[in-house]
Amino acid sequence: MPAMLRLLTIVACCTAITACTGKTFQRSHCAQELGIAWDELSIAEADGFAGTVSYTKAFGLLTAAKTMQTVENFDRCYQQARDARFYIQESRKGQ
């Protein structure tokens, strides 16, 4: 039985290490995507009313992404920052 316990301990340690690695990976992607999106966000480049609406959506998503980053939900942070970048592009097109 001690061999089985040893095996389970090794599996548990490997799983924990893998989980930490994934979290660090998402952390860097979240921070990178947020930084790019904040740099792209410029009210002066929003075109027309529809562009302003898209700008507002992007701003809201970036605010939510920053909150997700703070509570260490990096996967959701990354997704919201990507969605915000889409709306930033739409705001420049006036859509």
Side-chain angles (χ1 to χ4, degrees):
M1 193 55 96
M4 183 62 116
L5 182 60
R6 203 172 313 140
L7 179 64
L8 289 174
T9 303
I10 291 170
V11 169
C13 288
C14 289
T15 303
I17 290 170
T18 303
C20 291
T21 302
K23 193 170 188 173
T24 303
F25 176 75
Q26 287 295 336
R27 177 182 300 174
S28 64
H29 277 84
C30 165
Q32 180 182 12
E33 199 72 21
L34 265 176
I36 292 168
W38 280 114
D39 289 343
E40 289 177 349
L41 194 66
S42 172
I43 189 68
E45 294 182 17
D47 187 23
F49 179 73
T52 305
V53 171
S54 292
Y55 175 89
T56 304
K57 288 178 184 179
F59 186 78
L61 283 166
L62 284 176
T63 303
K66 185 64 179 171
T67 302
M68 291 296 109
Q69 184 183 35
T70 302
V71 297
E72 297 186 357
N73 187 343
F74 301 115
D75 186 45
R76 187 72 182 136
C77 164
Y78 175 73
Q79 289 300 321
Q80 288 179 332
R82 282 186 52 155
D83 291 345
R85 291 187 67 200
F86 168 78
Y87 283 112
I88 291 166
Q89 292 171 358
E90 294 297 305
S91 75
R92 290 181 180 161
K93 295 178 195 174
Q95 298 177 355

